[in-house]
PDB file of all heavy atoms in Angstrom:
ATOM      1  N   LYS A1562      10.530  15.373  -5.949  1.00 97.00           N
ATOM      2  CA  LYS A1562       9.959  15.862  -7.186  1.00 97.00           C
ATOM      3  C   LYS A1562       9.543  17.326  -6.994  1.00 97.00           C
ATOM      4  O   LYS A1562       8.920  17.677  -5.986  1.00 97.00           O
ATOM      5  CB  LYS A1562       8.755  15.035  -7.634  1.00 97.00           C
ATOM      6  CG  LYS A1562       8.003  15.538  -8.810  1.00 97.00           C
ATOM      7  CD  LYS A1562       6.760  16.281  -8.355  1.00 97.00           C
ATOM      8  CE  LYS A1562       6.146  17.098  -9.441  1.00 97.00           C
ATOM      9  NZ  LYS A1562       5.008  17.953  -8.938  1.00 97.00           N
ATOM     10  N   LEU A1563       9.894  18.203  -7.907  1.00 96.00           N
ATOM     11  CA  LEU A1563       9.567  19.623  -7.816  1.00 96.00           C
ATOM     12  C   LEU A1563       9.535  20.231  -9.163  1.00 96.00           C
ATOM     13  O   LEU A1563      10.071  19.724 -10.136  1.00 96.00           O
ATOM     14  CB  LEU A1563      10.448  20.329  -6.833  1.00 96.00           C
ATOM     15  CG  LEU A1563      11.918  20.632  -7.228  1.00 96.00           C
ATOM     16  CD1 LEU A1563      12.575  21.475  -6.159  1.00 96.00           C
ATOM     17  CD2 LEU A1563      12.737  19.415  -7.501  1.00 96.00           C
ATOM     18  N   SER A1564       8.899  21.420  -9.233  1.00 95.00           N
ATOM     19  CA  SER A1564       8.830  22.103 -10.476  1.00 95.00           C
ATOM     20  C   SER A1564      10.036  22.988 -10.632  1.00 95.00           C
ATOM     21  O   SER A1564      10.785  23.303  -9.672  1.00 95.00           O
ATOM     22  CB  SER A1564       7.521  22.973 -10.579  1.00 95.00           C
ATOM     23  OG  SER A1564       7.618  24.037  -9.638  1.00 95.00           O
ATOM     24  N   GLU A1565      10.238  23.535 -11.883  1.00 95.00           N
ATOM     25  CA  GLU A1565      11.335  24.532 -12.088  1.00 95.00           C
ATOM     26  C   GLU A1565      11.135  25.734 -11.181  1.00 95.00           C
ATOM     27  O   GLU A1565      12.094  26.287 -10.652  1.00 95.00           O
ATOM     28  CB  GLU A1565      11.319  24.934 -13.549  1.00 95.00           C
ATOM     29  CG  GLU A1565      11.956  23.950 -14.506  1.00 95.00           C
ATOM     30  CD  GLU A1565      12.092  24.477 -15.920  1.00 95.00           C
ATOM     31  OE1 GLU A1565      11.093  25.039 -16.420  1.00 95.00           O
ATOM     32  OE2 GLU A1565      13.160  24.359 -16.497  1.00 95.00           O
ATOM     33  N   ASP A1566       9.864  26.158 -11.049  1.00 94.00           N
ATOM     34  CA  ASP A1566       9.586  27.373 -10.193  1.00 94.00           C
ATOM     35  C   ASP A1566       9.948  27.069  -8.722  1.00 94.00           C
ATOM     36  O   ASP A1566      10.494  27.922  -8.036  1.00 94.00           O
ATOM     37  CB  ASP A1566       8.117  27.765 -10.347  1.00 94.00           C
ATOM     38  CG  ASP A1566       7.812  28.410 -11.618  1.00 94.00           C
ATOM     39  OD1 ASP A1566       8.738  28.839 -12.330  1.00 94.00           O
ATOM     40  OD2 ASP A1566       6.578  28.510 -11.999  1.00 94.00           O
ATOM     41  N   ASP A1567       9.605  25.835  -8.277  1.00 95.00           N
ATOM     42  CA  ASP A1567       9.974  25.448  -6.903  1.00 95.00           C
ATOM     43  C   ASP A1567      11.465  25.498  -6.751  1.00 95.00           C
ATOM     44  O   ASP A1567      11.992  25.997  -5.775  1.00 95.00           O
ATOM     45  CB  ASP A1567       9.454  24.038  -6.605  1.00 95.00           C
ATOM     46  CG  ASP A1567       7.939  23.966  -6.531  1.00 95.00           C
ATOM     47  OD1 ASP A1567       7.270  24.941  -6.329  1.00 95.00           O
ATOM     48  OD2 ASP A1567       7.462  22.774  -6.679  1.00 95.00           O
ATOM     49  N   ALA A1568      12.149  24.928  -7.676  1.00 95.00           N
ATOM     50  CA  ALA A1568      13.613  24.836  -7.608  1.00 95.00           C
ATOM     51  C   ALA A1568      14.240  26.232  -7.560  1.00 95.00           C
ATOM     52  O   ALA A1568      15.195  26.484  -6.796  1.00 95.00           O
ATOM     53  CB  ALA A1568      14.161  24.034  -8.777  1.00 95.00           C
ATOM     54  N   SER A1569      13.700  27.125  -8.374  1.00 95.00           N
ATOM     55  CA  SER A1569      14.222  28.522  -8.377  1.00 95.00           C
ATOM     56  C   SER A1569      13.964  29.167  -7.036  1.00 95.00           C
ATOM     57  O   SER A1569      14.856  29.872  -6.487  1.00 95.00           O
ATOM     58  CB  SER A1569      13.545  29.310  -9.476  1.00 95.00           C
ATOM     59  OG  SER A1569      13.954  30.662  -9.515  1.00 95.00           O
ATOM     60  N   TRP A1570      12.795  28.973  -6.472  1.00 96.00           N
ATOM     61  CA  TRP A1570      12.448  29.573  -5.215  1.00 96.00           C
ATOM     62  C   TRP A1570      13.293  29.058  -4.059  1.00 96.00           C
ATOM     63  O   TRP A1570      13.804  29.794  -3.199  1.00 96.00           O
ATOM     64  CB  TRP A1570      10.993  29.374  -4.894  1.00 96.00           C
ATOM     65  CG  TRP A1570      10.476  30.143  -3.707  1.00 96.00           C
ATOM     66  CD1 TRP A1570       9.880  31.361  -3.745  1.00 96.00           C
ATOM     67  CD2 TRP A1570      10.500  29.759  -2.346  1.00 96.00           C
ATOM     68  NE1 TRP A1570       9.528  31.782  -2.470  1.00 96.00           N
ATOM     69  CE2 TRP A1570       9.911  30.780  -1.569  1.00 96.00           C
ATOM     70  CE3 TRP A1570      10.915  28.616  -1.664  1.00 96.00           C
ATOM     71  CZ2 TRP A1570       9.754  30.723  -0.153  1.00 96.00           C
ATOM     72  CZ3 TRP A1570      10.816  28.560  -0.278  1.00 96.00           C
ATOM     73  CH2 TRP A1570      10.262  29.598   0.459  1.00 96.00           C
ATOM     74  N   LEU A1571      13.573  27.752  -4.082  1.00 96.00           N
ATOM     75  CA  LEU A1571      14.338  27.153  -3.017  1.00 96.00           C
ATOM     76  C   LEU A1571      15.814  27.481  -3.142  1.00 96.00           C
ATOM     77  O   LEU A1571      16.546  27.487  -2.136  1.00 96.00           O
ATOM     78  CB  LEU A1571      14.199  25.603  -3.106  1.00 96.00           C
ATOM     79  CG  LEU A1571      12.850  25.111  -2.584  1.00 96.00           C
ATOM     80  CD1 LEU A1571      12.571  23.628  -3.043  1.00 96.00           C
ATOM     81  CD2 LEU A1571      12.697  25.190  -1.087  1.00 96.00           C
ATOM     82  N   GLY A1572      16.303  27.752  -4.374  1.00 93.00           N
ATOM     83  CA  GLY A1572      17.636  28.281  -4.524  1.00 93.00           C
ATOM     84  C   GLY A1572      18.770  27.229  -4.556  1.00 93.00           C
ATOM     85  O   GLY A1572      19.942  27.574  -4.409  1.00 93.00           O
ATOM     86  N   GLY A1573      18.408  25.962  -4.748  1.00 90.00           N
ATOM     87  CA  GLY A1573      19.446  24.931  -4.814  1.00 90.00           C
ATOM     88  C   GLY A1573      19.511  24.304  -6.216  1.00 90.00           C
ATOM     89  O   GLY A1573      18.835  24.741  -7.135  1.00 90.00           O
ATOM     90  N   THR A1574      20.215  23.210  -6.293  1.00 95.00           N
ATOM     91  CA  THR A1574      20.298  22.430  -7.563  1.00 95.00           C
ATOM     92  C   THR A1574      20.055  20.972  -7.253  1.00 95.00           C
ATOM     93  O   THR A1574      20.256  20.506  -6.196  1.00 95.00           O
ATOM     94  CB  THR A1574      21.690  22.589  -8.191  1.00 95.00           C
ATOM     95  OG1 THR A1574      22.615  21.902  -7.384  1.00 95.00           O
ATOM     96  CG2 THR A1574      22.058  24.049  -8.363  1.00 95.00           C
ATOM     97  N   PRO A1575      19.590  20.237  -8.294  1.00 96.00           N
ATOM     98  CA  PRO A1575      19.387  18.809  -8.083  1.00 96.00           C
ATOM     99  C   PRO A1575      20.591  18.077  -7.529  1.00 96.00           C
ATOM    100  O   PRO A1575      20.464  17.228  -6.682  1.00 96.00           O
ATOM    101  CB  PRO A1575      18.993  18.274  -9.452  1.00 96.00           C
ATOM    102  CG  PRO A1575      18.338  19.508 -10.112  1.00 96.00           C
ATOM    103  CD  PRO A1575      19.119  20.668  -9.604  1.00 96.00           C
ATOM    104  N   ARG A1576      21.789  18.397  -8.041  1.00 95.00           N
ATOM    105  CA  ARG A1576      22.993  17.713  -7.569  1.00 95.00           C
ATOM    106  C   ARG A1576      23.270  18.016  -6.104  1.00 95.00           C
ATOM    107  O   ARG A1576      23.730  17.168  -5.358  1.00 95.00           O
ATOM    108  CB  ARG A1576      24.227  18.076  -8.407  1.00 95.00           C
ATOM    109  CG  ARG A1576      24.083  17.569  -9.864  1.00 95.00           C
ATOM    110  CD  ARG A1576      24.071  16.060  -9.919  1.00 95.00           C
ATOM    111  NE  ARG A1576      23.800  15.549 -11.256  1.00 95.00           N
ATOM    112  CZ  ARG A1576      23.377  14.305 -11.525  1.00 95.00           C
ATOM    113  NH1 ARG A1576      23.223  13.475 -10.469  1.00 95.00           N
ATOM    114  NH2 ARG A1576      23.141  13.921 -12.720  1.00 95.00           N
ATOM    115  N   GLU A1577      22.986  19.245  -5.641  1.00 96.00           N
ATOM    116  CA  GLU A1577      23.188  19.574  -4.238  1.00 96.00           C
ATOM    117  C   GLU A1577      22.205  18.756  -3.401  1.00 96.00           C
ATOM    118  O   GLU A1577      22.600  18.246  -2.343  1.00 96.00           O
ATOM    119  CB  GLU A1577      22.958  21.062  -4.021  1.00 96.00           C
ATOM    120  CG  GLU A1577      23.998  21.984  -4.644  1.00 96.00           C
ATOM    121  CD  GLU A1577      23.648  23.438  -4.550  1.00 96.00           C
ATOM    122  OE1 GLU A1577      22.571  23.754  -4.060  1.00 96.00           O
ATOM    123  OE2 GLU A1577      24.443  24.220  -5.074  1.00 96.00           O
ATOM    124  N   TRP A1578      20.942  18.639  -3.841  1.00 97.00           N
ATOM    125  CA  TRP A1578      19.946  17.934  -3.062  1.00 97.00           C
ATOM    126  C   TRP A1578      20.277  16.448  -3.038  1.00 97.00           C
ATOM    127  O   TRP A1578      20.076  15.789  -2.009  1.00 97.00           O
ATOM    128  CB  TRP A1578      18.562  18.237  -3.620  1.00 97.00           C
ATOM    129  CG  TRP A1578      18.210  19.715  -3.573  1.00 97.00           C
ATOM    130  CD1 TRP A1578      18.501  20.607  -2.554  1.00 97.00           C
ATOM    131  CD2 TRP A1578      17.466  20.458  -4.568  1.00 97.00           C
ATOM    132  NE1 TRP A1578      18.069  21.851  -2.896  1.00 97.00           N
ATOM    133  CE2 TRP A1578      17.401  21.779  -4.115  1.00 97.00           C
ATOM    134  CE3 TRP A1578      16.883  20.138  -5.784  1.00 97.00           C
ATOM    135  CZ2 TRP A1578      16.713  22.819  -4.814  1.00 97.00           C
ATOM    136  CZ3 TRP A1578      16.289  21.152  -6.496  1.00 97.00           C
ATOM    137  CH2 TRP A1578      16.184  22.418  -5.988  1.00 97.00           C
ATOM    138  N   LEU A1579      20.704  15.924  -4.166  1.00 97.00           N
ATOM    139  CA  LEU A1579      21.047  14.474  -4.211  1.00 97.00           C
ATOM    140  C   LEU A1579      22.159  14.138  -3.193  1.00 97.00           C
ATOM    141  O   LEU A1579      22.145  13.032  -2.621  1.00 97.00           O
ATOM    142  CB  LEU A1579      21.494  14.062  -5.614  1.00 97.00           C
ATOM    143  CG  LEU A1579      20.405  14.012  -6.668  1.00 97.00           C
ATOM    144  CD1 LEU A1579      21.003  13.930  -8.072  1.00 97.00           C
ATOM    145  CD2 LEU A1579      19.516  12.801  -6.432  1.00 97.00           C
ATOM    146  N   ALA A1580      23.083  15.039  -2.972  1.00 95.00           N
ATOM    147  CA  ALA A1580      24.163  14.763  -2.087  1.00 95.00           C
ATOM    148  C   ALA A1580      23.679  14.585  -0.632  1.00 95.00           C
ATOM    149  O   ALA A1580      24.388  14.030   0.231  1.00 95.00           O
ATOM    150  CB  ALA A1580      25.161  15.919  -2.123  1.00 95.00           C
ATOM    151  N   SER A1581      22.458  15.042  -0.348  1.00 95.00           N
ATOM    152  CA  SER A1581      21.915  14.930   0.998  1.00 95.00           C
ATOM    153  C   SER A1581      21.120  13.630   1.253  1.00 95.00           C
ATOM    154  O   SER A1581      20.765  13.350   2.404  1.00 95.00           O
ATOM    155  CB  SER A1581      20.992  16.140   1.283  1.00 95.00           C
ATOM    156  OG  SER A1581      21.740  17.330   1.250  1.00 95.00           O
ATOM    157  N   GLY A1582      20.855  12.877   0.177  1.00 93.00           N
ATOM    158  CA  GLY A1582      20.204  11.592   0.424  1.00 93.00           C
ATOM    159  C   GLY A1582      19.243  11.045  -0.550  1.00 93.00           C
ATOM    160  O   GLY A1582      19.135   9.808  -0.706  1.00 93.00           O
ATOM    161  N   PRO A1583      18.443  11.836  -1.294  1.00 97.00           N
ATOM    162  CA  PRO A1583      17.482  11.261  -2.205  1.00 97.00           C
ATOM    163  C   PRO A1583      18.139  10.385  -3.311  1.00 97.00           C
ATOM    164  O   PRO A1583      19.294  10.683  -3.692  1.00 97.00           O
ATOM    165  CB  PRO A1583      16.774  12.484  -2.813  1.00 97.00           C
ATOM    166  CG  PRO A1583      16.961  13.553  -1.838  1.00 97.00           C
ATOM    167  CD  PRO A1583      18.287  13.305  -1.251  1.00 97.00           C
ATOM    168  N   GLY A1584      17.433   9.381  -3.759  1.00 96.00           N
ATOM    169  CA  GLY A1584      17.933   8.549  -4.826  1.00 96.00           C
ATOM    170  C   GLY A1584      17.855   9.201  -6.180  1.00 96.00           C
ATOM    171  O   GLY A1584      18.628   8.985  -7.078  1.00 96.00           O
ATOM    172  N   ALA A1585      16.849  10.160  -6.298  1.00 97.00           N
ATOM    173  CA  ALA A1585      16.681  10.891  -7.556  1.00 97.00           C
ATOM    174  C   ALA A1585      15.898  12.108  -7.277  1.00 97.00           C
ATOM    175  O   ALA A1585      15.166  12.260  -6.304  1.00 97.00           O
ATOM    176  CB  ALA A1585      15.941   9.998  -8.588  1.00 97.00           C
ATOM    177  N   VAL A1586      16.077  13.089  -8.189  1.00 98.00           N
ATOM    178  CA  VAL A1586      15.311  14.362  -8.184  1.00 98.00           C
ATOM    179  C   VAL A1586      14.694  14.499  -9.554  1.00 98.00           C
ATOM    180  O   VAL A1586      15.364  14.498 -10.557  1.00 98.00           O
ATOM    181  CB  VAL A1586      16.228  15.550  -7.911  1.00 98.00           C
ATOM    182  CG1 VAL A1586      15.409  16.856  -8.027  1.00 98.00           C
ATOM    183  CG2 VAL A1586      16.843  15.456  -6.516  1.00 98.00           C
ATOM    184  N   VAL A1587      13.347  14.610  -9.591  1.00 98.00           N
ATOM    185  CA  VAL A1587      12.592  14.832 -10.809  1.00 98.00           C
ATOM    186  C   VAL A1587      12.162  16.308 -10.866  1.00 98.00           C
ATOM    187  O   VAL A1587      11.525  16.785  -9.920  1.00 98.00           O
ATOM    188  CB  VAL A1587      11.368  13.929 -10.858  1.00 98.00           C
ATOM    189  CG1 VAL A1587      10.505  14.269 -12.090  1.00 98.00           C
ATOM    190  CG2 VAL A1587      11.795  12.454 -10.963  1.00 98.00           C
ATOM    191  N   VAL A1588      12.509  16.991 -11.950  1.00 97.00           N
ATOM    192  CA  VAL A1588      12.107  18.360 -12.118  1.00 97.00           C
ATOM    193  C   VAL A1588      11.148  18.430 -13.280  1.00 97.00           C
ATOM    194  O   VAL A1588      11.414  17.984 -14.402  1.00 97.00           O
ATOM    195  CB  VAL A1588      13.381  19.238 -12.423  1.00 97.00           C
ATOM    196  CG1 VAL A1588      12.949  20.682 -12.638  1.00 97.00           C
ATOM    197  CG2 VAL A1588      14.379  19.123 -11.314  1.00 97.00           C
ATOM    198  N   THR A1589       9.952  19.010 -13.001  1.00 96.00           N
ATOM    199  CA  THR A1589       8.945  19.195 -14.052  1.00 96.00           C
ATOM    200  C   THR A1589       9.148  20.556 -14.675  1.00 96.00           C
ATOM    201  O   THR A1589       9.423  21.552 -14.028  1.00 96.00           O
ATOM    202  CB  THR A1589       7.574  19.085 -13.473  1.00 96.00           C
ATOM    203  OG1 THR A1589       7.326  20.050 -12.456  1.00 96.00           O
ATOM    204  CG2 THR A1589       7.342  17.713 -12.851  1.00 96.00           C
TER     205      THR A1589
END
Side-chain angles (χ1 to χ4, degrees):
K1562 173 261 168 185
L1563 72 176
S1564 69
E1565 283 186 313
D1566 288 343
D1567 293 338
S1569 176
W1570 189 93
L1571 286 164
T1574 68
R1576 292 297 171 199
E1577 292 172 1
W1578 299 323
L1579 286 166
S1581 296
V1586 175
V1587 173
V1588 179
T1589 60

